[in-house]
Every structure is written in C-alpha cells, then in structure tokens.
C-alpha cells in the first residue's frame, strides 16, 4: 500500500499550472492587480476607506506572488504547507470581502454626488474597481475551497 506524502499533496514547478486550486494564481494576480491599479487611479477623500482597499490589494498581490514562487520553486514540501495554503487563502477571502464591501459603499456614495465629467470618469473607475474586487474575492474563495479539499485529502 502506498502512503500519501506531502509531495503527493502539493504540486511543484510546472505542475502548479495543471492543478485545480493552483490554477487560480494567475487570475488572482490579474484581478488583484487591477483592483490595485483602479483604486490607485481614483481620488481619495480623507474619511475614505480606500486605504484599507489599497492595503488588501497590495498585501494579497505581494503574498500571492511570494506564494506562487514558493510553489514554483518546490519549497512547499513540508507537511505544514497544505494547512498554510488554506489559511492564507481564507484570510485573503475575508480581507477582500471586507475591502469589496467598503469599496462598493464608497462608490455608491460617490455616485450620488456626481456633478462634473471628471467625477463621472472617477466614478466609472471606482465601479470597475468594485467589479474586479468582487471577482478577486471569488477567485480567492474558490482557491480556498479547493485548497481545503486538497488539505482534507492529505
């Protein structure tokens, strides 16, 4: 009978591009980066929670990049990595969901106060950021679910 080792649980190298939870790395980069760019291009009003949104998008972008390279280089072969993978993606989901709700609220309140063409442009950027933020939340949620399934199989 073959025993399951941590090498069978987490892929390394090019195999991360073929395993279900790890396929979400690249879309998480793209949509997380878009949230970062779109929020950074809008105007920040002082009592505005966009600082939290920026923190979440930059934090998750950097940590996901680090996570991706750890998986790519094969440094994820310790038995703790499956649970760390689930834990990080769960935290990312909670962070992104809270940031998405805050961003949607700010966008909604800015939509009421539109009076110029410049404000319409910023409002459209904020709407795009809200959509991308919810897509990033969904991607991190799917990654967390599939990582939890993989963790339970181990």
């Amino acid at each position: 009978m073959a025993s399951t080792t941590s090498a069978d649980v987490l892929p390394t190298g090019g195999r991360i591009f073929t395993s279900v939870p790890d396929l979400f790395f690249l879309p998480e980069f793209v949509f997380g980066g878009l949230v970062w760019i779109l929020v950074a291009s809008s105007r920040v009003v002082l009592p505005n929670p966009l600082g939290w949104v920026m923190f979440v998008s930059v934090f998750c972008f950097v940590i996901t990049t680090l996570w991706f390279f750890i998986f790519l280089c094969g440094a994820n072969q310790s038995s703790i990595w499956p649970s760390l993978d689930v834990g990080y993606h769960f935290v990312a989901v909670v962070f992104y969901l809270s940031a998405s709700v805050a961003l949607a609220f700010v966008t909604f309140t800015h939509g009421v106060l539109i009076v110029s063409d410049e404000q319409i442009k910023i409002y459209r950027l904020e709407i795009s950021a809200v959509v991308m933020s919810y897509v990033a939340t969904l991607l991190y949620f799917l990654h967390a679910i599939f990582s939890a399934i993989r963790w339970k199989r181990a």
Side-chain angles (χ1 to χ4, degrees):
M1 176 187 266
S3 66
T4 304
T5 63
S6 63
D8 295 329
V9 176
L10 295 177
T12 61
R15 288 179 36 211
I16 65 172
F17 297 110
T18 60
S19 65
V20 174
D22 303 317
L23 280 174
F24 293 112
F25 277 130
L26 295 178
E28 289 167 358
F29 287 143
V30 171
F31 288 101
L34 284 172
V35 171
W36 181 6
I37 291 166
L38 290 168
V39 171
S41 65
S42 66
R43 292 213 172 121
V44 176
V45 183
L46 288 178
N48 198 333
L50 291 183
W52 172 247
V53 178
M54 283 298 290
F55 168 77
V56 168
S57 62
V58 172
F59 173 80
C60 288
F61 189 85
V62 169
I63 299 299
T64 299
T65 303
L66 177 67
W67 216 253
F68 176 74
F69 284 117
I70 287 171
F71 273 58
L72 192 62
C73 294
N76 60 345
Q77 296 306 303
S78 172
S79 62
I80 189 103
W81 280 99
S83 56
L84 286 175
D85 192 36
V86 173
Y88 163 66
H89 285 94
F90 176 75
V91 168
V93 167
V94 172
F95 276 15
Y96 253 113
L97 185 60
S98 67
S100 298
V101 169
L103 186 59
F105 176 74
V106 167
T107 302
F108 175 75
T109 58
H110 285 176
V112 178
L113 306 171
I114 294 177
V115 292
S116 70
D117 287 339
E118 180 66 24
Q119 289 175 334
I120 289 174
K121 179 182 172 187
I122 293 170
Y123 182 64
R124 288 178 181 159
L125 288 173
E126 289 176 348
I127 290 173
S128 299
V130 169
V131 171
M132 298 305 157
S133 182
Y134 278 109
V135 170
T137 303
L138 175 65
L139 289 169
Y140 278 105
F141 177 72
L142 291 173
H143 198 146
I145 294 297
F146 286 118
S147 292
I149 291 170
R150 179 171 58 190
W151 175 51
K152 283 300 193 183
R153 268 191 285 170

